[in-house]
Amino acid sequence: AVVSTQSTGELSPKLSFLCLSNNPLGNSDALSSPPITHPTLTSLVLCGTGISWRHLRNTVLPSLPGLKMLNVGHNDLTSLRSETSDAPLNNPNLTTLNLIHNQITAFADVADVAGVFPNLETLILSDNPLVSFGEDKMVIERFSNTNQDHCGEGSPYSALIP
C-alpha cells in the first residue's frame, strides 16, 4: 500500500527522501490532492509509477520547490518538452534528474528542462533509445551549467561509458 501523501509531514518533520517506486500511481490524485508539500523533502523517487511528464511538471513539481533530486526512471517518458499551455515552472534547487530506462529518442526532447531546472548538474539518460544527441548547438548550450565531470574518469558513472 502507498503511504498517503497527505501524511508525509506526519511521518517525520525531517523527511528528506521519499521513494514511491513501482506503485501504480500514474497521474492519479495521490500525488496532487492534496499536493505533496513537505518543506524538508529534497529527494523524490517515482520509478515505475506510470506518471507522465506533464502531470509531474504541472501538478507535482510546483509544490516541491526545495527538491534537489528527482528520479523518474522506468516510466515510458518520451519527451520532457513544455507545451504552450504549461504554467511557467522554475525549480532552482533541482541539481539531479534521473531519466534512466524511459523512451527518449532525442536529446532535444529533454532540452526544455534546462529552463525548468536552471541549476541542473547531473542528467542521467542511461538505457533510453537515444538515436540523436547534440546535433543542435543551441540544445547543447542550454546545458552549459551542467557539470561535465560526472562521467569523467573516477566518477561513479565512468563505468557506464564505453
Side-chain angles (χ1 to χ4, degrees):
V2 175
V3 173
S4 169
T5 54
Q6 82 186 91
S7 66
T8 56
E10 296 168 11
L11 288 174
S12 170
K14 296 180 182 180
L15 183 70
S16 63
F17 182 92
L18 179 61
C19 179
L20 297 172
S21 292
N22 299 315
N23 286 292
L25 302 173
N27 296 325
S28 73
D29 288 339
L31 291 173
S32 59
S33 180
I36 299 173
T37 52
H38 199 289
T40 59
L41 190 65
T42 58
S43 299
L44 180 61
V45 182
L46 297 171
C47 294
T49 59
I51 195 165
S52 71
W53 172 247
R54 183 153 195 184
H55 184 73
L56 188 66
R57 186 196 184 287
N58 293 331
T59 308
V60 178
L61 291 178
S63 65
L64 297 171
L67 201 63
K68 293 180 180 181
M69 186 282 297
L70 176 63
N71 186 338
V72 287
H74 298 268
N75 279 303
D76 292 324
L77 301 176
T78 58
S79 176
L80 276 62
R81 292 180 186 241
S82 298
E83 297 183 21
T84 54
S85 61
D86 290 337
L89 175 68
N90 184 309
N91 281 60
N93 293 314
L94 196 101
T95 59
T96 301
L97 179 59
N98 188 336
L99 297 165
I100 192 169
H101 197 80
N102 277 292
Q103 297 300 315
I104 298 166
T105 59
F107 189 70
D109 289 331
V110 298
D112 286 354
V113 301
V116 174
F117 309 122
N119 292 313
L120 189 68
E121 294 176 0
T122 304
L123 176 62
I124 303 170
L125 290 167
S126 301
D127 204 18
N128 277 279
L130 281 171
V131 293
S132 170
F133 184 83
E135 290 84 13
D136 184 350
K137 187 176 180 181
M138 296 277 292
V139 169
I140 297 298
E141 287 175 357
R142 288 185 190 173
F143 289 94
S144 62
N145 290 334
T146 57
N147 188 336
Q148 305 295 316
D149 297 331
H150 287 291
C151 289
E153 192 172 320
S155 85
Y157 305 110
S158 61
L160 299 174
I161 302 173

